[in-house]
CSV table of all heavy atoms in Angstrom, one decimal:
chain,number,residue,atom,x,y,z
A,280,GLU,N,-60.6,-30.1,26.8
A,280,GLU,CA,-60.3,-29.8,28.2
A,280,GLU,C,-58.8,-29.8,28.4
A,280,GLU,O,-58.3,-29.0,29.1
A,280,GLU,CB,-61.0,-30.8,29.0
A,280,GLU,CG,-61.0,-30.6,30.5
A,280,GLU,CD,-61.8,-31.4,31.4
A,280,GLU,OE1,-62.3,-32.4,30.9
A,280,GLU,OE2,-62.1,-31.1,32.5
A,281,LYS,N,-58.2,-30.8,27.8
A,281,LYS,CA,-56.7,-30.9,27.9
A,281,LYS,C,-56.1,-29.7,27.4
A,281,LYS,O,-55.1,-29.2,27.9
A,281,LYS,CB,-56.2,-32.1,27.2
A,281,LYS,CG,-54.8,-32.5,27.3
A,281,LYS,CD,-54.4,-33.8,26.6
A,281,LYS,CE,-52.9,-34.1,26.7
A,281,LYS,NZ,-52.1,-33.2,25.9
A,282,TRP,N,-56.5,-29.2,26.2
A,282,TRP,CA,-55.9,-28.1,25.6
A,282,TRP,C,-56.2,-26.8,26.4
A,282,TRP,O,-55.2,-26.1,26.6
A,282,TRP,CB,-56.6,-27.8,24.1
A,282,TRP,CG,-56.0,-26.6,23.4
A,282,TRP,CD1,-55.1,-26.7,22.4
A,282,TRP,CD2,-56.5,-25.3,23.4
A,282,TRP,NE1,-54.9,-25.5,22.0
A,282,TRP,CE2,-55.7,-24.6,22.5
A,282,TRP,CE3,-57.6,-24.6,24.2
A,282,TRP,CZ2,-55.9,-23.2,22.3
A,282,TRP,CZ3,-57.8,-23.4,24.0
A,282,TRP,CH2,-56.9,-22.5,23.1
A,283,MET,N,-57.3,-26.7,26.9
A,283,MET,CA,-57.5,-25.5,27.9
A,283,MET,C,-56.7,-25.6,29.1
A,283,MET,O,-56.2,-24.5,29.6
A,283,MET,CB,-59.0,-25.3,28.2
A,283,MET,CG,-59.9,-25.0,27.0
A,283,MET,SD,-61.7,-24.5,27.5
A,283,MET,CE,-62.2,-26.1,28.1
A,284,ASN,N,-56.6,-26.7,29.7
A,284,ASN,CA,-55.7,-26.9,31.0
A,284,ASN,C,-54.3,-26.6,30.7
A,284,ASN,O,-53.6,-26.1,31.5
A,284,ASN,CB,-56.0,-28.3,31.5
A,284,ASN,CG,-57.4,-28.6,32.2
A,284,ASN,OD1,-58.1,-27.6,32.4
A,284,ASN,ND2,-57.7,-29.9,32.2
A,285,GLU,N,-53.9,-26.9,29.5
A,285,GLU,CA,-52.4,-26.7,29.1
A,285,GLU,C,-52.1,-25.4,28.7
A,285,GLU,O,-51.0,-25.0,28.5
A,285,GLU,CB,-52.1,-27.7,28.0
A,285,GLU,CG,-52.0,-29.2,28.5
A,285,GLU,CD,-51.7,-30.2,27.4
A,285,GLU,OE1,-51.7,-29.7,26.2
A,285,GLU,OE2,-51.5,-31.4,27.7
A,286,SER,N,-53.3,-24.5,28.5
A,286,SER,CA,-53.0,-23.2,28.1
A,286,SER,C,-52.7,-22.3,29.3
A,286,SER,O,-53.4,-21.4,29.8
A,286,SER,CB,-54.4,-22.5,27.5
A,286,SER,OG,-54.7,-23.4,26.3
A,287,THR,N,-51.5,-22.4,29.9
A,287,THR,CA,-51.2,-21.9,31.1
A,287,THR,C,-51.0,-20.4,31.1
A,287,THR,O,-50.9,-19.7,32.1
A,287,THR,CB,-49.8,-22.5,31.7
A,287,THR,OG1,-48.8,-22.5,30.6
A,287,THR,CG2,-50.1,-24.0,32.1
A,288,ASN,N,-50.7,-19.8,29.8
A,288,ASN,CA,-50.6,-18.5,29.7
A,288,ASN,C,-52.0,-17.8,29.3
A,288,ASN,O,-52.0,-16.7,29.0
A,288,ASN,CB,-49.6,-18.1,28.6
A,288,ASN,CG,-48.2,-18.4,28.9
A,288,ASN,OD1,-47.7,-17.9,29.9
A,288,ASN,ND2,-47.6,-19.4,28.3
A,289,GLY,N,-53.0,-18.6,29.4
A,289,GLY,CA,-54.3,-18.1,29.1
A,289,GLY,C,-54.7,-18.3,27.7
A,289,GLY,O,-53.8,-18.5,26.7
A,290,PHE,N,-56.0,-18.2,27.4
A,290,PHE,CA,-56.5,-18.3,26.0
A,290,PHE,C,-57.6,-17.4,25.8
A,290,PHE,O,-58.4,-17.0,26.8
A,290,PHE,CB,-57.0,-19.8,25.7
A,290,PHE,CG,-58.2,-20.3,26.3
A,290,PHE,CD1,-59.4,-20.1,25.8
A,290,PHE,CD2,-58.1,-20.8,27.5
A,290,PHE,CE1,-60.6,-20.6,26.4
A,290,PHE,CE2,-59.1,-21.5,28.2
A,290,PHE,CZ,-60.4,-21.2,27.7
A,291,VAL,N,-57.9,-17.0,24.6
A,291,VAL,CA,-58.9,-16.2,24.1
A,291,VAL,C,-59.9,-17.0,23.3
A,291,VAL,O,-59.5,-17.9,22.4
A,291,VAL,CB,-58.4,-15.1,23.2
A,291,VAL,CG1,-59.6,-14.2,22.5
A,291,VAL,CG2,-57.5,-14.1,24.0
A,292,TYR,N,-61.2,-16.9,23.6
A,292,TYR,CA,-62.3,-17.7,22.8
A,292,TYR,C,-62.9,-16.7,21.8
A,292,TYR,O,-63.3,-15.5,22.1
A,292,TYR,CB,-63.2,-18.1,23.9
A,292,TYR,CG,-64.5,-18.8,23.3
A,292,TYR,CD1,-64.3,-19.7,22.3
A,292,TYR,CD2,-65.7,-18.6,23.9
A,292,TYR,CE1,-65.6,-20.4,21.7
A,292,TYR,CE2,-66.9,-19.2,23.3
A,292,TYR,CZ,-66.7,-20.1,22.3
A,292,TYR,OH,-67.9,-20.6,21.8
A,293,PHE,N,-63.0,-17.2,20.6
A,293,PHE,CA,-63.6,-16.4,19.5
A,293,PHE,C,-64.6,-17.2,18.7
A,293,PHE,O,-64.3,-18.2,18.1
A,293,PHE,CB,-62.4,-16.1,18.5
A,293,PHE,CG,-62.7,-15.1,17.3
A,293,PHE,CD1,-63.9,-14.5,17.1
A,293,PHE,CD2,-61.7,-14.9,16.4
A,293,PHE,CE1,-64.2,-13.7,16.2
A,293,PHE,CE2,-62.0,-14.0,15.3
A,293,PHE,CZ,-63.3,-13.5,15.1
A,294,THR,N,-65.8,-16.6,18.7
A,294,THR,CA,-66.8,-17.2,17.9
A,294,THR,C,-67.8,-16.1,17.4
A,294,THR,O,-68.1,-15.2,18.1
A,294,THR,CB,-67.6,-18.4,18.6
A,294,THR,OG1,-68.7,-18.9,17.9
A,294,THR,CG2,-68.3,-17.8,19.9
A,295,PHE,N,-68.3,-16.5,16.2
A,295,PHE,CA,-69.5,-15.6,15.7
A,295,PHE,C,-70.9,-16.2,15.9
A,295,PHE,O,-71.7,-16.1,15.0
A,295,PHE,CB,-69.3,-15.1,14.3
A,295,PHE,CG,-68.3,-14.0,14.1
A,295,PHE,CD1,-67.4,-13.9,12.9
A,295,PHE,CD2,-68.3,-13.0,15.1
A,295,PHE,CE1,-66.6,-12.9,12.8
A,295,PHE,CE2,-67.3,-11.9,14.9
A,295,PHE,CZ,-66.5,-11.8,13.8
A,296,GLY,N,-71.0,-17.2,16.9
A,296,GLY,CA,-72.2,-17.8,17.2
A,296,GLY,C,-72.5,-19.2,16.4
A,296,GLY,O,-71.6,-19.6,15.7
A,297,SER,N,-73.6,-19.6,16.6
A,297,SER,CA,-74.1,-21.0,16.0
A,297,SER,C,-74.3,-20.9,14.6
A,297,SER,O,-74.3,-22.0,14.0
A,297,SER,CB,-75.3,-21.5,16.8
A,297,SER,OG,-76.4,-20.6,16.6
A,298,MET,N,-74.5,-19.7,14.0
A,298,MET,CA,-74.9,-19.7,12.6
A,298,MET,C,-73.7,-19.2,11.6
A,298,MET,O,-73.5,-19.8,10.6
A,298,MET,CB,-76.1,-18.7,12.4
A,298,MET,CG,-77.3,-19.2,13.2
A,298,MET,SD,-78.9,-18.3,12.8
A,298,MET,CE,-78.5,-16.7,13.5
A,299,VAL,N,-73.1,-18.1,11.9
A,299,VAL,CA,-72.1,-17.4,11.0
A,299,VAL,C,-70.9,-18.2,10.9
A,299,VAL,O,-70.2,-18.7,11.9
A,299,VAL,CB,-71.8,-16.0,11.5
A,299,VAL,CG1,-70.8,-15.3,10.6
A,299,VAL,CG2,-73.2,-15.3,11.5
A,300,LYS,N,-70.5,-18.4,9.6
A,300,LYS,CA,-69.2,-19.1,9.3
A,300,LYS,C,-68.1,-18.1,9.1
A,300,LYS,O,-68.0,-17.2,8.1
A,300,LYS,CB,-69.3,-19.8,8.1
A,300,LYS,CG,-70.3,-21.2,8.2
A,300,LYS,CD,-70.5,-21.7,6.9
A,300,LYS,CE,-69.2,-22.4,6.4
A,300,LYS,NZ,-69.5,-23.2,5.2
A,301,ILE,N,-67.1,-18.0,10.0
A,301,ILE,CA,-66.0,-17.1,9.8
A,301,ILE,C,-65.1,-17.3,8.6
A,301,ILE,O,-64.6,-16.3,8.0
A,301,ILE,CB,-65.0,-17.2,11.1
A,301,ILE,CG1,-65.7,-16.8,12.4
A,301,ILE,CG2,-63.7,-16.4,10.9
A,301,ILE,CD1,-64.9,-17.1,13.6
A,302,GLU,N,-65.2,-18.6,8.2
A,302,GLU,CA,-64.3,-18.9,7.0
A,302,GLU,C,-65.0,-18.3,5.7
A,302,GLU,O,-64.4,-18.4,4.5
A,302,GLU,CB,-64.2,-20.4,6.8
A,302,GLU,CG,-65.4,-21.2,6.8
A,302,GLU,CD,-66.0,-21.7,8.2
A,302,GLU,OE1,-65.8,-20.9,9.1
A,302,GLU,OE2,-66.4,-22.8,8.3
A,303,SER,N,-66.2,-17.8,5.8
A,303,SER,CA,-66.9,-17.2,4.6
A,303,SER,C,-66.5,-15.8,4.5
A,303,SER,O,-66.9,-15.1,3.5
A,303,SER,CB,-68.4,-17.6,4.7
A,303,SER,OG,-68.9,-16.6,5.6
A,304,PHE,N,-65.8,-15.2,5.4
A,304,PHE,CA,-65.6,-13.7,5.4
A,304,PHE,C,-64.5,-13.5,4.4
A,304,PHE,O,-63.7,-14.2,4.0
A,304,PHE,CB,-65.0,-13.3,6.8
A,304,PHE,CG,-66.0,-13.1,7.8
A,304,PHE,CD1,-67.2,-14.0,8.0
A,304,PHE,CD2,-66.2,-11.9,8.4
A,304,PHE,CE1,-68.2,-13.6,8.9
A,304,PHE,CE2,-67.2,-11.5,9.4
A,304,PHE,CZ,-68.3,-12.5,9.6
A,305,PRO,N,-64.6,-12.3,3.8
A,305,PRO,CA,-63.5,-11.8,2.8
A,305,PRO,C,-62.1,-11.9,3.3
A,305,PRO,O,-62.0,-11.8,4.5
A,305,PRO,CB,-64.0,-10.4,2.5
A,305,PRO,CG,-65.4,-10.3,2.7
A,305,PRO,CD,-65.6,-11.2,3.9
A,306,LEU,N,-61.2,-12.0,2.4
A,306,LEU,CA,-59.9,-12.2,2.8
A,306,LEU,C,-59.3,-11.1,3.7
A,306,LEU,O,-58.6,-11.4,4.6
A,306,LEU,CB,-59.0,-12.2,1.4
A,306,LEU,CG,-57.5,-12.3,1.7
A,306,LEU,CD1,-57.1,-13.5,2.3
A,306,LEU,CD2,-56.7,-12.2,0.3
A,307,LYS,N,-59.7,-9.9,3.5
A,307,LYS,CA,-59.1,-8.8,4.2
A,307,LYS,C,-59.5,-8.9,5.7
A,307,LYS,O,-58.7,-8.6,6.5
A,307,LYS,CB,-59.6,-7.4,3.7
A,307,LYS,CG,-61.2,-7.1,3.8
A,307,LYS,CD,-61.4,-5.7,3.4
A,307,LYS,CE,-62.9,-5.5,3.5
A,307,LYS,NZ,-63.3,-4.1,3.2
């Protein structure tokens, strides 16, 4: 909550859901 409140220039939220691991995607 503190991080979001301090994001005075706004923030983008990124997720591939509850199952998929972004860290498993190929390097490219």
Side-chain angles (χ1 to χ4, degrees):
E280 185 172 20
K281 181 175 182 293
W282 182 90
M283 292 191 295
N284 291 339
E285 293 175 350
S286 300
T287 52
N288 291 295
F290 68 91
V291 172
Y292 172 44
F293 183 8
T294 178
F295 279 147
S297 63
M298 297 190 290
V299 177
K300 297 175 66 176
I301 294 178
E302 57 268 40
S303 71
F304 277 51
L306 175 61
K307 65 175 182 178

